[in-house]
Amino acid sequence: MSTNTLSEEAKTRLMNFFSHVIEPKDMAKVIRQANYLLTMSAIKENQDLQNEIINFEDSFYWLNELAEALNPYLSVK
């Protein structure tokens, strides 16, 4: 897992985006929904391509991690 930190410019842009465009909780919900739909449709379309399914699984994981960073929904007990 990478431990790179965001630049100050990236932090500022993210803060501006979320303060003017969408709440982090709402963005996390949209990411989760889009992630699920895209991954499931791609897997169903390419069931015979095992290597692609692994790539979809990785992408699904990392988009969920992004959603969790925005709104820790899955880690709440």
Side-chain angles (χ1 to χ4, degrees):
M1 182 171 179
S2 179
T3 58
N4 294 341
T5 57
L6 295 174
S7 68
E8 289 302 315
E9 180 182 357
K11 289 178 188 177
T12 301
R13 287 182 182 197
L14 284 170
M15 293 302 294
N16 287 339
F17 178 81
F18 286 116
S19 66
H20 298 294
V21 178
I22 190 169
E23 292 293 319
K25 182 178 180 179
D26 295 332
M27 177 60 103
K29 182 179 178 180
V30 168
I31 289 171
R32 287 183 182 104
Q33 290 171 338
N35 191 22
Y36 177 78
L37 292 173
L38 290 170
T39 303
M40 292 308 294
S41 66
I43 287 173
K44 287 181 181 183
E45 186 176 303
N46 299 301
Q47 287 181 344
D48 57 332
L49 302 174
Q50 190 62 34
N51 289 337
E52 290 302 314
I53 290 173
I54 292 169
N55 290 336
F56 294 136
E57 289 172 347
D58 289 344
S59 299
F60 185 81
Y61 172 80
W62 287 112
L63 281 173
N64 275 337
E65 286 294 306
L66 174 59
E68 282 296 296
L70 295 171
N71 177 31
Y73 174 78
L74 298 174
S75 61
V76 174
K77 293 182 180 182

